[in-house]
Amino acid sequence: QVQLVESGGGSVQNGGSLRLSCAASGRTFRNHNMGWFRQAPGKEREFVATINWSGGNTYYADSVKGRFTISRENAKNTVYLQMNSLKPEDTAVYYCASRDVSSAYALRTYEYQYWGQGTQVTVSS
């Protein structure tokens, strides 16, 4: 019932910035946690950031804390990931995900039921 479409990926140099967007359709955002995950070649998909329905609770992986910011605009059914001070190790396919019930935090891939197709982020040194 929920469709997620990511956009905003691209190629930047070390230290650059990108803002990813995830547009949701098919069902209201009410009672949804939203998350961002990433997967680099040869690696498992890893947690990046999450936000609850109200936007009051956010949580970040240690590797991105202080550099990335997750936010949402429920009126637009859109969640964002602002990525600053990008590093080559941030290179990955970034996925938007939605959880069908609310909790304070959801940090595991299996806690999310709906996924976008991903958008590539490449950071060159």
Side-chain angles (χ1 to χ4, degrees):
Q1 293 295 321
V2 176
Q3 183 178 6
L4 305 174
V5 180
E6 302 97 335
S7 62
S11 298
V12 298
Q13 293 185 348
N14 186 32
S17 297
L18 287 171
R19 189 175 78 156
L20 306 183
S21 298
C22 174
S25 62
R27 195 169 70 179
T28 179
F29 263 10
R30 191 173 185 180
N31 298 321
H32 283 196
N33 296 92
M34 301 294 297
W36 287 97
F37 293 77
R38 66 187 183 186
Q39 188 167 20
K43 296 184 178 180
E44 296 182 353
R45 190 169 299 185
E46 66 176 0
F47 168 78
V48 175
T50 188
I51 188 168
N52 72 335
W53 178 83
S54 71
N57 292 328
T58 60
Y59 193 83
Y60 300 90
D62 288 342
S63 59
V64 307
K65 191 174 298 182
R67 300 187 297 119
F68 291 11
T69 302
I70 188 171
S71 62
R72 67 193 299 168
E73 295 185 56
N74 290 344
K76 298 181 179 180
N77 291 329
T78 301
V79 64
Y80 305 96
L81 185 68
Q82 178 67 47
M83 304 184 295
N84 298 326
S85 301
L86 283 162
K87 306 174 182 179
E89 51 263 45
D90 295 318
T91 295
V93 176
Y94 283 71
Y95 297 91
C96 175
S98 176
R99 176 176 165 86
D100 61 3
V101 295
S102 293
S103 65
Y105 303 104
L107 312 180
R108 306 293 187 91
T109 59
Y110 61 78
E111 294 181 280
Y112 292 85
Q113 286 72 52
Y114 306 100
W115 294 83
Q117 293 299 308
T119 185
Q120 177 70 47
V121 171
T122 302
V123 185
S124 60
S125 61

